[in-house]
Amino acid sequence: MDLLLILTYAGLCVVIFKVFRIPLNKWSVPTAILGGVIILGSLLLVMNYNHPYGKYAKEVYVSIPIVPAVRGLVVSVDAMPNAPLNKGDVLFKIDPRPYQLKVEQLSAQTFEAEQSAKQIQAQLELAQARQKQAKADRDRARQSFSRYAKGSRTKGVFSKQEVENRRQLYLAAEASLEAAEADLRRAGFAHESTIDGVNTQVLQLQKQLEAAQYDLERTVVVAPMAGMVTQVALRAGVMAVPMPLRPAMVFIPEQENLFAGSFWQNSLERMKPGFEAELIIDAVPGHVFKGEVVSVLPAMSEGEFQFGGTLVSARQLSTHGRAIAVIKLDADWNRYNLPRGVQGKMAIYSDQFTHVSVMRRILLRMLGWLNYVFPMK
């Protein structure tokens, strides 16, 4: 851009010298050169600082790697490349038979566990009835033993052998009651092994069944949102694996058009959100897109370091970083039908020395016209 300004001044000087027939001597030529140095130098300094220019600008967008949640053979690829998709549209399908069999197996186990839970209730009721019967038998044996013991002491009606037999029957009934109570406690513990009223074994199998059903549903991979897939290489018969480092597809969601440009750090004070910005695109020669600065990224990768086993070298610190500004366009970008990621050049106009911004606007448009011939790098 600076070269364009110098060439413009040189052309203007040539026209003035020719039209006004100014002689080329030791006074006129140095005056034109010195005047150009002073005028252009001042204008360039004011313009470059207050209205920064980004030589490298590019549309930035987010892509989503489509990684299947389950492993299996791909049986069909339903998504058409570069065609619009809605949220929930099928991208591809994985063979569901192994997961369907797992669901059926767990369904049978869950039903069996539910029946076993009902048996636990019946066993508890049976244990309660046995405990009552054992208690009644114990009470009856105790009464009989007391009657025999009293009769033997007072009237001598019963012999010691008969009293001993009754005592043994009473002790046996007492032991039977203790066994029945132990069975009742065991049945009670089994019956009380619940979470929110559901048997723990049944609940465990239900959760396993839900997980299996979830895996079965994930055999149909759908679009996470509106967008499209591109460069689709997936085909039926490929083994799809849930590995983040090897996605099956790349999905590009619908999103607003944002452009990022790199700028020298000396103009950071003149790059603030809300400032006017203009953009030229190599793919649209002669057209200037207007927008505004959305943000200036708060961190630069050149100063980044992470936890690790190596030290930061001086060479890394000597790397000159560039600030990144993000702008949002005002015009309807979609009518140009351009692929995402196109490149161009960007200029930001601050609120300082606004009259000098006219020169930046003219130079930016001249660069846009040059795109008809070849893009300036």
Side-chain angles (χ1 to χ4, degrees):
M1 185 171 285
D2 299 340
L3 179 61
L4 284 177
L5 187 60
I6 295 172
L7 292 176
T8 302
Y9 177 78
L12 183 61
C13 289
V14 170
V15 171
I16 292 176
F17 272 81
K18 292 292 184 182
V19 171
F20 295 99
R21 300 179 183 277
I22 300 175
L24 301 176
N25 53 42
K26 65 178 181 178
W27 301 107
S28 61
V29 174
T31 300
I33 295 175
L34 184 60
V37 171
I38 295 174
I39 296 173
L40 294 183
S42 301
L43 290 176
L44 284 174
L45 289 175
V46 175
M47 180 185 67
N48 288 335
Y49 178 74
N50 293 283
H51 308 290
Y53 165 71
K55 186 178 181 180
Y56 304 102
K58 193 179 295 290
E59 183 186 14
V60 291
Y61 61 94
V62 176
S63 64
I64 301 176
I66 301 298
V67 179
V70 295
R71 177 190 179 94
L73 288 174
V74 176
V75 294
S76 68
V77 180
D78 302 81
M80 297 298 296
N82 308 319
L85 296 170
N86 296 320
K87 181 179 180 179
D89 287 350
V90 178
L91 299 179
F92 60 93
K93 297 177 182 177
I94 296 174
D95 187 3
R97 286 175 292 180
Y99 302 97
Q100 182 64 47
L101 294 174
K102 185 67 174 179
V103 168
E104 294 175 356
Q105 177 185 4
L106 288 173
S107 296
Q109 293 178 358
T110 302
F111 180 77
E112 181 182 4
E114 290 174 349
Q115 297 303 313
S116 298
K118 294 178 181 179
Q119 293 178 6
I120 291 175
Q121 176 65 29
Q123 291 174 357
L124 176 62
E125 295 174 355
L126 177 61
Q128 290 174 344
R130 288 179 175 175
Q131 187 265 350
K132 291 179 181 179
Q133 181 181 1
K135 185 177 181 181
D137 293 342
R138 191 276 312 268
D139 293 341
R140 186 170 57 252
R142 183 174 57 185
Q143 292 175 359
S144 177
F145 169 65
S146 299
R147 184 167 56 85
Y148 269 70
K150 184 178 179 181
S152 176
R153 288 194 304 270
T154 57
K155 301 178 180 180
V157 177
F158 303 107
S159 63
K160 292 183 179 181
Q161 183 63 38
E162 290 176 327
V163 173
E164 181 62 22
N165 290 338
R166 293 298 173 177
R167 191 178 76 86
Q168 293 299 325
L169 291 175
Y170 165 66
L171 294 176
E174 186 73 29
S176 298
L177 176 60
E178 293 177 357
E181 290 177 343
D183 291 339
L184 177 61
R185 287 193 298 272
R186 183 173 61 252
F189 291 150
H191 183 266
E192 293 173 358
S193 179
T194 61
I195 298 177
D196 295 333
V198 181
N199 181 266
T200 53
Q201 184 67 24
V202 175
L203 184 60
Q204 181 180 1
L205 289 172
Q206 286 177 348
K207 297 305 178 182
Q208 292 179 4
L209 178 59
E210 291 178 6
Q213 290 173 340
Y214 176 84
D215 289 342
L216 178 61
E217 294 173 357
R218 297 285 81 77
T219 58
V220 180
V221 183
V222 300
M225 59 187 69
M228 68 174 181
V229 291
T230 187
Q231 299 183 9
V232 178
L234 188 66
R235 294 294 183 271
V238 174
M239 176 62 72
V241 294
M243 184 181 298
L245 299 179
R246 193 175 180 83
M249 286 183 175
V250 176
F251 184 84
I252 302 175
E254 290 184 358
Q255 53 197 288
E256 62 180 349
N257 301 102
L258 297 176
F259 280 81
S262 64
F263 296 85
W264 293 113
Q265 298 180 27
N266 63 329
S267 296
L268 276 173
E269 289 297 321
R270 297 296 185 264
M271 297 164 52
K272 296 181 180 179
F275 280 178
E276 181 187 0
E278 287 186 339
L279 177 75
I280 59 173
I281 299 298
D282 295 348
V284 188
H287 188 84
V288 176
F289 297 91
K290 295 184 177 297
E292 69 173 19
V293 179
V294 177
S295 64
V296 178
L297 298 190
M300 292 182 289
S301 64
E302 289 80 7
E304 176 193 12
F305 69 96
Q306 297 180 357
F307 168 80
T310 57
L311 299 176
V312 177
S313 67
R315 181 178 298 178
Q316 182 178 353
L317 296 177
S318 64
T319 303
H320 191 84
R322 296 173 67 95
I324 298 178
V326 180
I327 71 168
K328 180 179 179 181
L329 301 182
D330 299 332
D332 183 11
W333 177 261
N334 296 326
R335 68 187 181 92
Y336 292 95
N337 196 27
L338 296 175
R340 290 191 176 273
V342 292
Q343 64 185 14
K345 299 169 182 59
M346 182 187 302
I348 297 176
Y349 307 114
S350 70
D351 54 1
Q352 304 292 324
F353 294 90
T354 55
H355 57 283
V356 183
S357 66
V358 176
M359 185 169 58
R360 175 69 79 191
R361 296 175 192 271
I362 294 174
L363 292 174
L364 188 67
R365 282 156 177 78
M366 292 173 67
L367 283 176
W369 299 332
L370 286 176
N371 285 332
Y372 282 110
V373 183
F374 59 91
M376 293 288 293
K377 300 301 181 184

